[in-house]
Amino acid sequence: VVSVFLALVRVFPVKKINPTLQSEVSNPRCNERDERRRSGTAVLEMAVSLPLLITLVFGAMEMANAVFLRQSMNMAAYEAAKVITRPGTNEALARTRCQEIMTIRKVSTYTLTFSPTITTATARGTQVTVTLSAPASNLSYGPMRFMTGKTLSTTVAMVRL
């Protein structure tokens, strides 16, 4: 057993403790100084990384709201086009359908246009283009508004039945 122990000591030598390091470990004031230094480092790291993290979080929320708005607009424009291309319908019915969807999706400001102007006398086979646009800031809720001043637009084209 002793010979095995000596062989292991030769293979894995035991490091001697540095006397200055040993005195720092036993000195309680040094430990407090190290803790304060580490605490200061943590505060500095947080001060540097927190603004970036907050910007990323609110930027992601803003982009998610823009995607939601875009999807709402696609749905409303499609439904308006579907209504206006049916025989016997007019722009008022299509506008009402678009308004229903935009109200459900909590979008308050938008512009809906039809090309050409549709009446009950519009011929079958006429291509109808519905364009819906809205300010991207419609669904902005955070303190950082990255989409201010931008307008989203969608267009749907269908043939009148």
Side-chain angles (χ1 to χ4, degrees):
V1 176
V2 174
S3 62
V4 172
F5 177 73
L6 291 173
L8 285 174
V9 169
R10 277 189 227 124
V11 174
F12 301 106
V14 178
K15 293 182 180 178
K16 294 183 180 179
I17 296 176
N18 186 350
T20 58
L21 182 62
Q22 188 175 12
S23 67
E24 286 181 7
V25 171
S26 63
N27 185 351
R29 287 194 328 185
C30 261
N31 288 339
E32 289 173 14
R33 195 175 327 124
D34 287 343
E35 281 183 30
R36 275 186 267 140
R37 190 178 307 134
R38 281 188 295 240
S39 174
T41 303
V43 169
L44 181 65
E45 287 174 355
M46 186 181 74
V48 169
S49 63
L50 191 61
L52 178 63
L53 182 64
I54 288 173
T55 302
L56 285 173
V57 167
F58 282 111
M61 287 171 49
E62 193 79 7
M63 288 302 118
N65 286 337
V67 169
F68 180 80
L69 176 62
R70 180 66 173 215
Q71 185 61 28
S72 300
M73 291 170 53
N74 285 337
M75 244 178 17
Y78 176 79
E79 288 294 322
K82 204 165 81 169
V83 168
I84 203 164
T85 55
R86 280 187 279 181
T89 59
N90 57 22
E91 282 187 20
L93 293 172
R95 286 187 187 283
T96 302
R97 182 63 184 143
C98 178
Q99 183 180 8
E100 288 171 359
I101 293 171
M102 296 300 263
T103 302
I104 289 169
R105 302 288 239 167
K106 296 185 175 37
V107 178
S108 57
T109 309
Y110 60 90
T111 304
L112 179 65
T113 58
F114 301 98
S115 175
T117 302
I118 303 297
T119 63
T120 51
T122 303
R124 297 177 72 182
T126 304
Q127 182 174 348
V128 179
T129 304
V130 177
T131 305
L132 182 62
S133 42
S137 58
N138 251 332
L139 296 176
S140 293
Y141 298 116
M144 298 178 195
R145 298 184 182 235
F146 299 106
M147 300 297 284
T148 301
K150 301 208 174 24
T151 301
L152 298 178
S153 181
T154 187
T155 303
V156 175
M158 285 189 181
V159 176
R160 184 156 170 97
L161 301 175

